[in-house]
Amino acid sequence: MNSTLKSFIEGMPKAELHLHIEGSFEPELMFAIAQRNQVKTKFDSVEAVKEAYQFNNLQDFLDIYYEGARVLLTEQDFFDLTWAYVERIHAQNVIHTEIFFDPQTHTDRGVDFGVVISGISRALAQAEQKYGITSRIIMCFLRHLDESEAEKTLAQALAYKDRIYGVGLDSSELGHPPSKFKNVFAKAIEEGFVTVAHAGEEGPAEYIWEALDLLHISRLDHGNRSKDDPKLMARLAAEKMALTVCPLSNLKLCVVDDLKAHPLRFLMENNLKVTINSDDPAYFGGYMNENYIAITEALELNRTELKQLAQNAFEACFVDEGRKREMLAQLEAYFAENAF
Ligand code: HPA
Ligand code: ZN
């Protein structure tokens, strides 16, 4: 790629809408926290951790991702994890981020819900004070566990409603369709949470229909497999439903064999509101800029398409109209100065 296009991407103001905070856990920090907490893991060096990052599918990755999260115990651990992510995105001109966390991964190990949410939200408050980065927190239910477990998690979350904007659904997709969680999502909506869900990453288009009709999602995480179903694409386009696409994640988890075969442009051509995100950047080889650069290179995206992708994310984020307008104006100004 020519260096001016690369700099254009790097300097562009961006919003991230699909990021698992536990997936931003870099091996060096993981190791430091493991030592601080005297927690033993499967890995005896940073290199051993990195070598383990070869995945054939989503489950291969999840096994390692949950292993890494085991070292997180204290409020300071969750702060350090989140702050490290904030520093990375600040360096990449990300001005707004909406992050997922998996409460069950921690509460099932005896870590208090409040410890997790306090560490994450303290770092995000500091991100706003220090860098002006705004944010939202979305808690995900682990879909490989029962709906009753998700219900317990929702009940625990009510005490922290002021800090949790939405609920989502992640973990092993195949065999765990959105319909399994329709009751708990209905309760979450009654409690005032916005809903999103991972669907159509490894699972079929049918799971996306279920996420729309049964979970009443406001945004679709991944959604790649909508490419298989023209009626579904028409519905998503009509509803202006945003898709949080994660190119390097799709490559590393073998959702696509090659980024050149990625459906992103096809989805955009079908008028879907596509956004670019990093998913689990410490595991998949890159944060926002690396994702933008890799997909731009593979699909030969131009500046107008790049602007559209960034704009889609600002339009699809869960903030008030004033902040949205401010971020969109920042993008316009950047584009006007750097279009050619
Ligand atoms: N898919 C499902 N669950 C996840 C992912 C993902 O990409 N990342 C972290 N949990
Ligand atoms: Zn994800």
Side-chain angles (χ1 to χ4, degrees):
M1 171 184 308
N2 73 49
S3 64
T4 49
L5 189 56
K6 187 163 173 276
S7 317
F8 175 81
I9 291 171
E10 289 167 348
M12 186 166 68
K14 292 170 283 281
E16 169 139 75
L17 304 180
H18 185 150
L19 177 281
H20 302 264
I21 198 63
E22 297 90 345
S24 72
F25 208 2
E26 292 289 343
E28 290 77 10
L29 182 61
M30 189 186 292
F31 236 75
I33 292 184
Q35 286 190 332
R36 178 161 93 192
N37 290 341
Q38 311 255 297
V39 178
K40 280 220 172 317
T41 69
K42 275 193 199 155
F43 309 110
D44 52 18
S45 67
V46 167
E47 289 66 37
V49 181
K50 288 184 181 165
E51 271 166 34
Y53 291 3
Q54 311 274 353
F55 317 112
N56 293 312
N57 53 41
L58 174 59
Q59 194 59 50
D60 274 3
F61 154 70
L62 290 169
D63 293 343
I64 293 197
Y65 161 89
Y66 295 131
E67 171 71 14
R70 280 182 43 236
V71 311
L72 296 163
L73 299 179
T74 67
E75 196 264 1
Q76 189 65 40
D77 298 342
F78 287 94
F79 175 88
D80 291 346
L81 170 70
T82 310
W83 188 251
Y85 166 71
V86 167
E87 292 282 20
R88 294 272 190 163
I89 63 167
H90 176 59
Q92 297 205 342
N93 294 305
V94 174
I95 58 173
H96 178 77
T97 184
E98 305 199 347
I99 72 174
F100 298 128
F101 78 110
D102 291 337
Q104 289 156 294
T105 299
H106 313 298
T107 53
D108 287 359
R109 299 181 289 116
V111 178
D112 190 75
F113 196 111
V115 163
V116 181
I117 193 76
S118 300
I120 296 172
S121 59
R122 183 160 66 88
L124 292 177
Q126 186 169 304
E128 182 155 10
Q129 273 167 8
K130 192 166 174 192
Y131 299 134
I133 296 173
T134 47
S135 60
R136 294 287 188 216
I137 299 176
I138 299 171
M139 70 164 186
C140 285
F141 301 125
L142 297 181
R143 69 201 304 161
H144 66 275
L145 302 177
D146 290 346
E147 187 179 41
S148 60
E149 296 297 322
E151 281 175 352
K152 283 184 211 154
T153 304
L154 178 63
Q156 286 177 304
L158 297 181
Y160 308 100
K161 232 175 172 177
D162 58 326
R163 284 179 266 174
I164 300 173
Y165 196 79
V167 304
L169 189 63
D170 68 0
S171 192
S172 324
E173 187 179 11
L174 287 169
H176 304 286
S179 49
K180 180 177 165 187
F181 295 92
K182 66 175 193 297
N183 298 313
V184 70
F185 269 66
K187 280 187 196 154
I189 290 169
E190 261 174 47
E191 292 291 349
F193 294 103
V194 156
T195 64
V196 298
H198 284 53
E201 179 185 17
E202 286 187 342
E206 180 57 28
Y207 284 18
I208 301 174
W209 285 106
E210 285 190 11
L212 293 170
D213 290 332
L214 304 178
L215 306 187
H216 307 289
I217 56 169
S218 297
R219 213 160 58 205
L220 172 59
D221 296 318
H222 293 295
N224 297 34
R225 294 287 296 276
S226 47
K227 71 175 171 41
D228 300 337
D229 184 340
K231 273 207 182 105
L232 176 58
M233 285 195 290
R235 160 120 182 240
L236 293 166
E239 291 186 8
K240 298 188 167 51
M241 178 69 61
L243 276 66
T244 61
V245 171
C246 307
L248 288 174
S249 165
N250 293 158
L251 182 65
K252 290 282 152 57
L253 300 185
C254 307
V255 167
V256 295
D257 298 333
D258 186 321
L259 278 184
K260 287 191 176 21
H262 196 284
L264 177 131
R265 177 177 267 122
F266 177 72
L267 297 170
M268 287 176 86
E269 283 167 358
N270 279 275
N271 298 317
L272 298 196
K273 205 175 177 73
V274 175
T275 65
I276 295 202
N277 308 274
S278 74
D279 207 2
D280 301 282
Y283 292 87
F284 300 150
Y287 289 75
M288 286 290 274
N289 286 347
E290 290 80 9
N291 272 277
Y292 263 97
I293 289 166
I295 197 72
T296 299
E297 220 160 21
L299 302 183
E300 299 179 24
L301 301 176
N302 63 34
R303 288 180 189 220
T304 310
E305 289 165 318
L306 288 167
K307 183 191 173 207
Q308 184 67 56
L309 288 161
Q311 186 177 322
N312 288 348
F314 291 131
E315 287 171 357
C317 64
F318 296 141
V319 294
D320 60 76
E321 286 305 313
R323 176 66 179 146
K324 254 187 211 185
R325 269 200 301 277
E326 194 176 280
M327 294 192 290
L328 285 163
Q330 218 172 308
L331 180 66
E332 284 301 333
Y334 183 79
F335 197 72
E337 276 171 33
N338 297 284
F340 294 100

